[in-house]
Amino acid sequence: ANDRRIAQAGSGLNGMGIREEPLMDRLDGLVFGPDPRTGFFLAERFVHPTLRFEMTYPRGWDVANGPQAVDGINPEQNVALQLTFASESSLDAALDAFGSIEGVEILESASTRTNGLGTRAATLAAATPNGEVLAGRVHFVSHGGAIYRLLAYAGEENWRRGVGESAVRSMETFEALSGGEFRNVAPHRIRIVRLERAM
């Protein structure tokens, strides 16, 4: 398909060139790689310097920071842990909305604190569209004017056997970043350096 497009362009490409100076000006200072201001991992520790929080995932888990959520799964791939935003403006509203999702049943809930932050925590059961029954725990944490949803879950039988304990312990590590730590992190940028002579 690309070959066909190039052939159709034909002589329209003749005379085209790249002017070095404008190109170098555009490249100088260009951001590349992941932007640490949107969150990054230091080993198992996830740090978000802009939103001013951190949480430590279990050691050895496969983790990924995506645009909508931070996801983790254990090496056996039978327990998941997700950190994301809730769209509601209060802890109670967030838990009520979560409990109203089709197939989700809140078994018990309580108001508590997570490292000084207001939290609404609940145990849950959920039926998936394919008939699988899940069990888990959800914490809604209030921090910086936002409500965060921390969700750990596994197959019901696995959860009953305790495979989710490390995920729940990780949820309890969610806390505000202290002081000025990581406040000045910046993304990597390309810097154009002019050499005095050919090397």
Side-chain angles (χ1 to χ4, degrees):
N2 285 337
D3 290 341
R4 188 172 65 252
R5 291 189 186 101
I6 292 170
Q8 288 171 350
S11 61
L13 298 177
N14 291 340
M16 288 187 67
I18 297 175
R19 299 194 316 274
E20 181 180 354
E21 287 299 327
L23 175 62
M24 293 300 111
D25 289 344
R26 292 291 296 274
L27 289 177
D28 193 26
L30 185 70
V31 172
F32 72 95
D35 186 346
R37 295 171 298 190
T38 63
F40 58 90
F41 279 93
L42 293 171
E44 296 83 22
R45 180 186 179 198
F46 179 74
V47 176
H48 202 302
T50 305
L51 300 176
R52 307 299 300 158
F53 74 83
E54 65 175 282
M55 188 172 91
T56 301
Y57 276 69
R59 179 169 295 173
W61 280 40
D62 185 17
V63 291
N65 178 24
Q68 303 298 325
V70 185
D71 290 296
I73 191 166
N74 68 339
E76 296 76 26
Q77 298 193 349
N78 59 8
V79 183
L81 172 57
Q82 183 184 72
L83 164 63
T84 188
F85 283 109
S87 58
E88 294 74 28
S89 59
S90 75
L91 296 172
D92 287 339
L95 180 59
D96 289 345
F98 184 78
S100 70
I101 296 172
E102 185 175 354
V104 172
E105 179 184 1
I106 300 300
L107 304 178
E108 59 177 325
S109 65
S111 295
T112 183
R113 307 289 287 177
T114 302
N115 298 306
L117 303 173
T119 302
R120 199 84 159 86
T123 56
L124 64 103
T128 68
N130 63 9
E132 184 182 7
V133 179
L134 304 176
R137 189 156 179 86
V138 64
H139 289 186
F140 292 96
V141 183
S142 178
H143 171 57
I147 305 294
Y148 294 85
R149 189 188 77 186
L150 288 58
L151 174 63
Y153 61 92
E156 185 180 37
E157 187 61 35
N158 283 332
W159 190 268
R160 191 178 298 119
R161 292 203 314 264
V163 298
E165 290 175 2
S166 62
V168 174
R169 286 195 299 272
S170 286
M171 292 161 64
E172 293 166 351
T173 69
F174 186 99
E175 64 180 323
L177 276 179
S178 58
E181 190 178 18
F182 303 111
R183 194 174 294 278
N184 297 320
V185 295
H188 296 293
R189 293 182 181 273
I190 295 173
R191 291 294 177 213
I192 302 298
V193 177
R194 301 285 182 184
L195 302 178
E196 293 181 3
R197 56 188 169 79
M199 297 181 67

